[in-house]
Amino acid sequence: MFVLGPNRYGKAETRVVRVTKHGDAHHIKDLNVSTALSGDMTEVHLSGDNGAVLPTDTQKNTVYAFAKKHGVGAAEDFALLLARHFVDSQPAVRHARVAIEEYAWERRGGQSFVRSGRETRTCVAHYDGERSWVVSGLTDLVVLNTTNSEFWGFARDEYTTLQETHDRILATAVTATWRHSGLSDWDKSYEKARQALLAAFADTYSLSLQQTLYAMGSRVLTDCPEICEVRLALPNKHHFLVDLSPFGLENDGEVFYAADRPYGLIEGTVAREDAPPAGPAWE
């Protein structure tokens, strides 16, 4: 005998660009939306009966229709709106997960924009018919300190060749997600959390990337009381001094080779002592 385990289905990466026009001043919201639904889906798996299945094409169309009907404000609000619609309108659906990536554009005139080089804003909203919960975040926030970073005193074995350093470049591409204690002013909260991450990275004299991770998570919790937990993934974007001695040149920490792989990957969570259990919020 076999038993069907947890399952879900949906439409991944629906790209929608919503233009809002206020006279000659236009505004853009550029989103990548992924929906996933779960519930009473046993028969479609066991017998192929599609009676409980809302087509993924319908989910895609709903994203476009809601962008027109309701507009797009904060990504978190749009994700919650979609999640509640799918659960409340479909008897077989018990849980909806809506994940959004948002791409920033910078205004260059009333109707002219340039794609921003900023990070990608992210959010994941869940709704189960009674409760809703949201995780916000960002990815590809690339930061670099040219000094104030060391790495020494580490464990060694017979395969260790890395030399200790008391002055190095520290660079990473931050992926951060944070869990809210409740509903929030999403845009304001996002900017506060982003600034906290940047400030902590810049202000921390780093003896390890782990130390920097903890400082960044702690700063977010200090500056953002509405956030109860932060998860961070920091790839160490290594910069190695180039040996210029064959050319009769000294390299006093001025010329580096930026290696893309392999790289160290440092991950961790910083939470308030009284943070409620995460449950399925991070899924």
Side-chain angles (χ1 to χ4, degrees):
M1 286 289 295
F2 305 104
V3 177
L4 178 67
N7 60 86
R8 64 188 181 193
Y9 78 103
K11 192 64 128 184
E13 301 198 44
T14 298
R15 292 286 283 108
V16 56
V17 176
R18 177 59 154 96
V19 178
T20 302
K21 302 177 181 179
H22 297 292
D24 291 335
H26 295 180
H27 303 273
I28 285 181
K29 283 286 187 173
D30 186 353
L31 308 180
N32 191 26
V33 183
S34 294
T35 58
L37 310 180
S38 59
D40 185 9
M41 303 292 167
T42 301
E43 279 306 310
V44 67
H45 289 88
L46 301 187
S47 67
D49 182 346
N50 293 313
V53 176
L54 184 70
T56 65
D57 189 67
T58 302
Q59 296 175 44
K60 173 204 69 179
N61 292 341
T62 304
V63 172
Y64 293 134
F66 273 38
K68 169 59 180 177
K69 290 173 60 177
H70 302 285
V72 179
E76 289 86 349
D77 285 328
F78 192 62
L80 283 168
L81 184 70
L82 289 165
R84 289 167 177 155
H85 166 78
F86 289 128
V87 173
D88 292 342
S89 66
Q90 296 298 314
V93 176
R94 304 283 186 266
H95 181 273
R97 175 189 188 273
V98 180
I100 295 180
E101 297 177 341
E102 180 175 352
Y103 312 115
W105 291 83
E106 295 177 4
R107 181 181 302 281
R108 286 293 181 266
Q111 308 92 33
S112 182
F113 299 82
V114 60
R115 179 68 176 268
S116 172
R118 283 180 52 144
E119 74 287 347
T120 299
R121 179 173 172 176
T122 63
C123 75
V124 179
H126 294 262
Y127 178 63
D128 66 3
E130 296 180 357
R131 299 174 303 126
S132 59
W133 53 95
V134 177
V135 171
S136 301
L138 55 81
T139 187
D140 291 329
L141 177 65
V142 180
V143 291
L144 181 150
N145 289 337
T146 55
T147 189
N148 293 337
S149 175
E150 305 180 20
F151 189 59
W152 52 272
F154 44 81
R156 293 180 175 274
D157 66 11
E158 63 270 31
Y159 303 111
T160 301
T161 59
L162 184 68
Q163 299 299 306
E164 295 184 344
T165 179
H166 295 272
D167 187 14
R168 66 172 181 170
I169 286 179
L170 184 66
T172 187
V174 179
T175 295
T177 52
W178 49 87
R179 186 161 58 96
H180 301 266
S181 300
L183 297 181
S184 177
D185 181 333
W186 307 114
D187 292 338
K188 182 178 179 180
S189 179
Y190 178 83
E191 286 301 328
K192 285 169 56 184
R194 180 181 186 273
Q195 289 303 317
L197 292 168
L198 293 174
F201 182 83
D203 294 347
T204 301
Y205 191 104
S206 179
L207 298 177
S208 68
L209 191 49
Q210 287 90 336
Q211 177 193 14
T212 299
L213 180 150
Y214 185 77
M216 294 171 75
S218 298
R219 182 72 68 90
V220 171
L221 296 179
T222 298
D223 294 354
C224 305
E226 72 279 8
I227 294 173
C228 63
E229 186 174 350
V230 184
R231 293 189 178 184
L232 290 155
L234 305 181
N236 198 336
K237 300 177 76 68
H238 299 295
H239 288 67
F240 299 113
L241 275 172
V242 177
D243 181 7
L244 299 178
S245 60
F247 319 117
L249 299 172
E250 293 185 4
N251 190 0
D252 187 19
E254 297 169 309
V255 180
F256 296 84
Y257 164 64
D260 63 346
R261 64 194 65 182
Y263 53 85
L265 179 59
I266 312 303
E267 299 175 289
T269 300
V270 185
R272 301 186 189 279
E273 289 184 343
D274 59 351
W282 295 106
E283 296 177 1

